Amino acid sequence: MVDGTLGAVGAVPPAEVEDMELYHPKSWVTRYVFCQDAKVISIQYSLTALSIGLVALVLSWLMRLQLGFPSVFSFIDANAYYQFITMHGMIMVIYLLTAILLGGFGNYLIPLMVGARDMVFPYVNMLSYWVYLLAVLVLVASFFVPGGATGAGWTLYPPQAILSGTPGRDWGIILMLASLIIFIVGFTMGGLNYVVTVLQARTRGMTLMRMPLTVWGIFTASVMALLAFPALFVGAVMMLFDRVLGTSFFMPALVEMGQQLQYGGGSPILFQHLFWFFGHPEVYIVALPAFGIVSDLISTHARRNIFGYRMMVWAIVAIGALSFVVWAHHMYVSGMNPYFGFFFATTTLIIAIPTAIKVYNWVLTLWLGDIHLTVPMLFALGFIVTFISGGLTGLFLGNAVVDVPLSDTMFVVAHFHMVMGVAPILVIFGAIYHWYPKVTGRMLNEALGQLHFWITFLGAYAIFFPMHYLGLVGVPRRYHELGEAAFNTPSVGTLNAFITIVALIVGAAQLVFLFNLAWSLVRGKEAGGNPWKATTLEWQTPETPPAHGNWGKELPVVYRWAYDYSVPGAEEDFVPQNQPVVARAGAREGAPA
Amino acid sequence: MNKVQEAIVRPSGWRGIVADWSGDQRAFKNVSWGKAMMWIFLLSDTFIFGLFLLSYMTVRMSTIVPWPNPSEVFALTIGDRKMPLILIAIMTFILISSSGTMAMAVNFGYRRDRVKTAVLMLLTAALGATFVGMQAFEWTKLIVEGVRPWGNPWGAPQFGSSFFLITGFHGTHVSIGVIFLAIIARKVLRGDFDRERRGFFTSRKGNYEIVEIMGLYWHFVDLVWVFIFALFYLW
Ligand code: HEM
Ligand SMILES: [Cu+2]
């Protein structure tokens, strides 16, 4: 399809800006360490995020060991358990998922996919990574300070987050808040780059409506992050003041151990509003890039154009906008005015519409497609399935009346792990299997990939599906031990032990993946420039891996959208975006399309 | 390398905007990368200031202790007359004036008038520094009178907390602006932008446009002050 916006094929407007001036590294240090090339920055971001993600994975094992076999592991006492959940949740959501999807995939894919030589401000982009690394180091440091990491829960609700009963209230919480503030500063530097590159640095012929959905997803998520992180920033700064200076922004009058504290007059609910004004968009900051990437994986590996491209774009934008007006569905039990609950339940259910449109369009793209069950495709299909299961439970929780009894039970844990834990992680894996050949020039091992997929996918269901049941019978979340409560039936104990064993197996399966990453770097099959026969620009670079500056002397020129797969009559089953004329099977060379 | 050419004639008004957004290369035609980046940054920063102010209003309403009366707290005794808000009035006047000098600097920058641009930028920086200095004076005065982030002699402790938080955050913005004004003024004076001298870290050619980008930031910081003035001092 050559769409009409730019007129007939061949009529591409002339260049409006001069070619980008790049910083050319002069030494080893500026080439590989303090490097301004977005591709290197992307790898730095991804490796850092995966490393800290491994810490979060190990923490999840420790929590599961305690839940599955209570009191067997004496070093996991209640305090340690709280520290583990808090750090696990925060690391997974922010330092792994946000960082790898925007900093990792954004940096690699945006310039290549829109046909730019680099991000618009490579130096600021480089700073973004080093500030992110600092944030990670501050976070890790909090494990080693006196009193250990904070155990306030990843939501860090005051007043308990800074009261003396909570583990890590001495230093852990301070470092956590500091680390978040640093992360936001670093992200802003990167995020501005991603947004401006998409808006202002596309190549000739690349209209917004010809961009691959991956870019749309990452772009929208970056805009959202620039508007949502300020709320977390403000909340973190004010809580830091409350903790360090003794102000009372979030602290009401309190009696602790019979003693009246110095605090008084603040509003704990204010923090919840700030947190979730960030927190809900954050869910979509993680989800939208995943949506985009999965659309491209499905289209490429099913050799079929994406169904309803325009609808997909508008759905991404609509979800992004709506997600700023639903935040208080996390606060149904906080004692809000019930009319608020009504409003937020309505907006929440409205978001289901564009989301459902996306799911239907993925399924319709697969319909009658020539599905290649490659590893990236398996992960993409796995995503659709887990996302549907997680999304459906979201409809339950979005309704205030249904949420009240389910709130703070394992049902919620099951819901958000399916929808924003497992689903985006599956896409990240799929994306790594898909783009690794471009990054390294070698394919990841297929057999190991299949093994990794099946264990992870089935394992994720075995872990999180039973949790719905646990939640329905009343098992609360964030409990170190269940004790003799009425809901603690023998089946609960058996299920918990089962979940723990599967979680350990799934965790171990990730070692297969890490081994594959390292092994294939040296031993993998040579990939060539375009192993998946994909249409998007990153596969059309003159060199693989792409050189500094991405393209040779000339920037590519774009003539069509990103989804010309199986074009009827065409010689090959895909037409790259930068190819002006469709070669007809049997037609003479260069005939007009 | 691609030759840069004038873009094809574009329709005006709404149709122009639609045409730009459905076209290739740039969504905002004639907006450079640097300016686009500053605008988007300022949008994000607006959210930060906006949320700080909203939070201040929320705690002001949630606290049950009466709020100190700003026109008494922020009064100076000059001679033997008590002048409410006099210092803030002067500070506001100075900051708004600095927006004027900044605008003139931008104008001379586009005429490539090295000396006038640099002098006006330095004047802007000096006005900014005076503002920060007067703010330091105000902070000192209040601290001497016993205002602390966690309490004050007159009423709700949230008064001091919000005051130091919000004016401190804004003052930091002004101070950063002053530093960058000085740095860029030095580059202007040295002729970096006439000679298109390359940046040390970026190896990009210098350009007078940076004066305008600096101007966007400076006007934004002034505009934010107007809101702080209205919501904190006048309410
Ligand atoms: C192997 C995979 C994982 C396992 C076994 C796992 C397990 C757990 C467990 C046992 C809890 C604590 C439940 C409780 O006691 O309340 C938890 C909490 C949490 N997890 Fe995971 N998790 C995994 C992956 C992820 C991922 C990928 C994310 C990314 C979104 C994530 C985000 C969270 C969050 C936000 C919490 C809530 C923390 C809190 O209550 O403060 N988890 N997880
Ligand atoms: Cu939400």
Side-chain angles (χ1 to χ4, degrees):
Chain A
M1 181 179 113
V2 180
D3 60 53
T5 38
L6 276 180
V9 173
V12 173
E16 291 170 16
V17 274
E18 282 177 56
D19 208 341
M20 191 181 284
E21 301 172 73
L22 294 176
Y23 177 89
H24 292 288
K26 302 179 183 74
S27 65
W28 186 87
V29 175
T30 44
R31 185 183 303 269
Y32 296 108
V33 186
F34 293 103
C35 180
Q36 302 192 17
D37 186 335
K39 297 185 292 296
V40 177
I41 296 172
S42 151
I43 295 169
Q44 293 172 327
Y45 249 115
S46 307
L47 292 181
T48 312
L50 286 177
S51 317
I52 191 74
L54 271 181
V55 174
L57 180 71
V58 171
L59 292 176
S60 79
W61 290 347
L62 297 177
M63 297 180 310
R64 278 317 319 176
L65 284 178
Q66 167 62 25
L67 291 177
F69 310 100
S71 314
V72 176
F73 302 90
S74 56
F75 70 100
I76 313 176
D77 57 9
N79 279 348
Y81 185 79
Y82 285 126
Q83 295 172 319
F84 295 166
I85 8 179
T86 308
M87 297 306 273
H88 161 82
M90 199 62 105
I91 292 175
M92 284 290 189
V93 173
I94 296 194
Y95 299 85
L96 170 66
L97 292 182
T98 309
I100 202 172
L101 283 166
L102 300 181
F105 290 108
N107 265 317
Y108 206 91
L109 295 175
I110 292 177
L112 278 165
M113 283 185 151
V114 302
R117 295 205 181 271
D118 206 320
M119 289 291 180
V120 284
F121 291 104
Y123 177 67
V124 181
N125 201 25
M126 174 190 86
L127 288 184
S128 162
Y129 168 72
W130 292 99
V131 176
Y132 163 64
L133 183 64
L134 178 66
V136 171
L137 293 178
V138 172
L139 186 82
V140 171
S142 79
F143 283 106
F144 302 105
V145 289
T150 176
W154 89 285
T155 46
L156 304 178
Y157 278 7
Q160 51 86 13
I162 57 176
L163 292 184
S164 51
T166 308
R169 71 79 72 177
D170 293 326
W171 287 103
I173 184 74
I174 296 180
L175 288 182
M176 168 62 88
L177 295 170
S179 169
L180 288 172
I181 292 172
I182 299 170
F183 179 91
I184 294 168
V185 172
F187 171 77
T188 306
M189 299 188 197
L192 291 170
N193 255 307
Y194 316 151
V195 171
V196 178
T197 305
V198 171
L199 285 177
Q200 301 294 83
R202 282 165 284 136
T203 187
R204 295 167 61 206
M206 180 59 89
T207 63
L208 290 174
M209 279 303 187
R210 281 177 178 174
M211 289 197 308
L213 287 167
T214 300
V215 180
W216 266 110
I218 297 176
F219 167 70
T220 314
S222 304
V223 175
M224 291 171 62
L226 287 173
L227 304 181
F229 274 122
L232 183 64
F233 181 89
V234 165
V237 169
M238 295 203 302
M239 203 198 297
L240 207 55
F241 271 46
D242 280 3
R243 168 66 188 81
V244 179
L245 294 179
T247 58
S248 300
F249 286 111
F250 302 133
M251 304 297 281
L254 286 159
V255 175
E256 188 179 75
M257 316 283 264
Q259 293 244 295
Q260 165 97 41
L261 296 184
Q262 287 299 318
Y263 295 115
S267 165
I269 301 278
L270 171 62
F271 180 84
Q272 299 191 13
H273 280 296
L274 288 171
F275 184 86
W276 289 113
F277 186 78
F278 145 77
H280 187 85
E282 169 65 24
V283 175
Y284 286 98
I285 291 167
V286 170
L288 291 184
F291 288 176
I293 291 172
V294 94
S295 311
D296 286 354
L297 295 190
I298 287 177
S299 175
T300 306
H301 294 272
R303 318 305 299 163
R304 197 155 186 288
N305 65 316
I306 194 81
F307 187 90
Y309 171 80
R310 276 169 187 273
M311 234 195 293
M312 292 298 253
V313 171
W314 287 116
I316 287 181
V317 175
I319 293 172
L322 283 172
S323 66
F324 280 93
V325 291
V326 299
W327 75 90
H329 62 210
H330 298 274
M331 298 165 57
Y332 290 143
V333 292
S334 72
M336 257 184 337
N337 184 323
Y339 287 110
F340 280 14
F342 174 75
F343 172 79
F344 283 104
T346 312
T347 51
T348 302
L349 296 186
I350 291 176
I351 282 209
I353 299 170
T355 313
I357 289 180
K358 296 197 75 74
V359 175
Y360 284 122
N361 283 354
W362 289 320
V363 175
L364 287 168
T365 304
L366 289 168
W367 191 264
L368 298 182
D370 173 12
I371 297 175
H372 294 46
L373 285 181
T374 54
V375 181
M377 184 59 152
L378 287 175
F379 277 104
L381 297 175
F383 161 83
I384 298 183
V385 178
T386 46
F387 187 73
I388 292 177
S389 344
L392 287 177
T393 49
L395 289 179
F396 290 64
L397 296 172
N399 283 289
V401 273
V402 187
D403 180 65
V404 170
L406 289 176
S407 193
D408 282 323
T409 65
M410 275 299 181
F411 191 87
V412 175
V413 177
H415 156 70
F416 70 69
H417 275 97
M418 286 309 260
V419 81
M420 83 163 303
V422 178
I425 289 273
L426 289 180
V427 175
I428 289 170
F429 284 140
I432 292 177
Y433 283 95
H434 184 77
W435 276 295
Y436 186 90
K438 184 46 69 176
V439 179
T440 63
R442 292 177 187 273
M443 308 293 283
L444 279 169
N445 182 293
E446 172 90 15
L448 289 180
Q450 296 259 357
L451 182 72
H452 176 218
F453 169 75
W454 285 110
I455 300 182
T456 308
F457 175 68
L458 296 178
Y461 263 91
I463 294 171
F464 295 112
F465 230 59
M467 286 190 197
H468 293 96
Y469 168 76
L470 293 180
L472 286 172
V473 298
V475 178
R477 85 187 260 212
R478 292 180 175 167
Y479 267 41
H480 164 249
E481 251 195 285
L482 299 179
E484 310 238 316
F487 49 73
N488 196 4
T489 56
S491 74
V492 167
T494 324
L495 267 181
N496 263 333
F498 167 76
I499 294 175
T500 298
I501 290 167
V502 183
L504 292 175
I505 297 173
V506 170
Q510 307 316 308
L511 296 178
V512 176
F513 172 64
L514 293 183
F515 171 77
N516 199 351
L517 284 185
W519 185 82
S520 303
L521 198 57
V522 197
R523 296 291 175 79
K525 214 165 60 188
E526 292 274 351
N530 190 358
W532 310 114
K533 295 188 193 306
T535 57
T536 41
L537 287 182
E538 80 275 23
W539 300 104
Q540 327 301 334
T541 53
E543 290 160 71
T544 298
H548 185 48
N550 293 348
W551 319 97
K553 269 208 154 47
E554 295 281 337
L555 288 174
V557 178
V558 169
Y559 296 93
R560 58 191 68 249
W561 72 337
Y563 301 99
D564 268 339
Y565 290 104
S566 309
V567 178
E571 208 164 46
E572 289 220 64
D573 77 339
F574 73 108
V575 190
Q577 279 191 281
N578 60 348
Q579 180 175 319
V581 191
V582 180
R584 298 283 166 199
R588 83 196 136 76
E589 192 95 5
Chain B
M1 225 191 272
N2 301 314
K3 268 242 304 283
V4 182
Q5 298 178 15
E6 264 313 303
I8 317 159
V9 190
R10 287 175 294 121
S12 56
W14 282 109
R15 290 164 147 273
I17 294 175
V18 173
D20 290 353
W21 281 76
S22 46
D24 63 350
Q25 305 179 54
R26 291 187 291 176
F28 301 102
K29 305 288 178 196
N30 308 325
V31 175
S32 71
W33 294 341
K35 259 196 260 180
M37 189 137 165
M38 181 51 85
W39 274 112
I40 297 171
F41 167 73
L42 294 181
L43 183 65
S44 183
D45 213 18
T46 307
F47 270 58
I48 296 195
F49 274 111
L51 289 166
F52 269 135
L53 286 170
L54 272 173
S55 304
Y56 141 73
M57 292 186 258
T58 312
V59 290
R60 184 164 173 169
M61 289 187 291
S62 78
T63 182
I64 43 171
V65 188
W67 198 257
N69 182 351
S71 45
E72 278 173 23
V73 175
F74 301 113
L76 281 189
T77 322
I78 302 175
D80 6 76
R81 279 192 48 208
K82 218 169 166 184
M83 312 258 278
L85 295 180
I86 178 75
L87 183 63
I88 315 304
I90 300 173
M91 282 167 69
T92 309
F93 179 73
I94 288 179
L95 204 59
I96 305 270
S97 313
S98 77
S99 256
T101 54
M102 185 73 231
M104 286 161 73
V106 173
N107 191 334
F108 282 113
Y110 275 105
R111 298 191 208 164
R112 308 180 78 84
D113 188 328
R114 225 158 34 85
V115 179
K116 282 197 183 120
T117 311
V119 168
L120 282 163
M121 288 187 81
L122 289 174
L123 185 59
T124 312
L127 290 170
T130 315
F131 174 88
V132 177
M134 295 174 86
Q135 195 155 56
F137 170 78
E138 189 186 39
W139 276 41
T140 321
K141 173 174 169 287
L142 288 182
I143 291 171
V144 169
E145 289 172 3
V147 182
R148 298 287 182 274
W150 55 89
N152 61 68
W154 313 297
Q158 280 77 13
F159 172 80
S161 340
S162 322
F163 173 77
F164 289 119
L165 176 72
I166 293 178
T167 59
F169 195 66
H170 178 263
T172 312
H173 274 71
V174 179
S175 309
I176 293 174
V178 168
I179 293 169
F180 275 90
L181 278 168
I183 294 176
I184 297 170
R186 173 161 173 266
K187 291 192 177 190
V188 172
L189 212 52
R190 206 166 54 181
D192 282 13
F193 303 142
D194 300 302
R195 284 181 287 122
E196 304 204 318
R197 182 180 156 134
R198 287 180 186 275
F200 179 73
F201 290 118
T202 59
S203 76
R204 293 249 167 106
K205 287 188 201 135
N207 186 311
Y208 272 107
E209 191 189 42
I210 189 75
V211 180
E212 189 185 354
I213 295 174
M214 189 61 227
L216 290 176
Y217 175 83
W218 194 257
H219 297 313
F220 169 79
V221 173
D222 290 0
L223 182 66
V224 167
W225 176 254
V226 174
F227 282 90
I228 296 176
F229 179 66
L231 293 171
F232 203 92
Y233 294 88
L234 295 185
W235 181 6

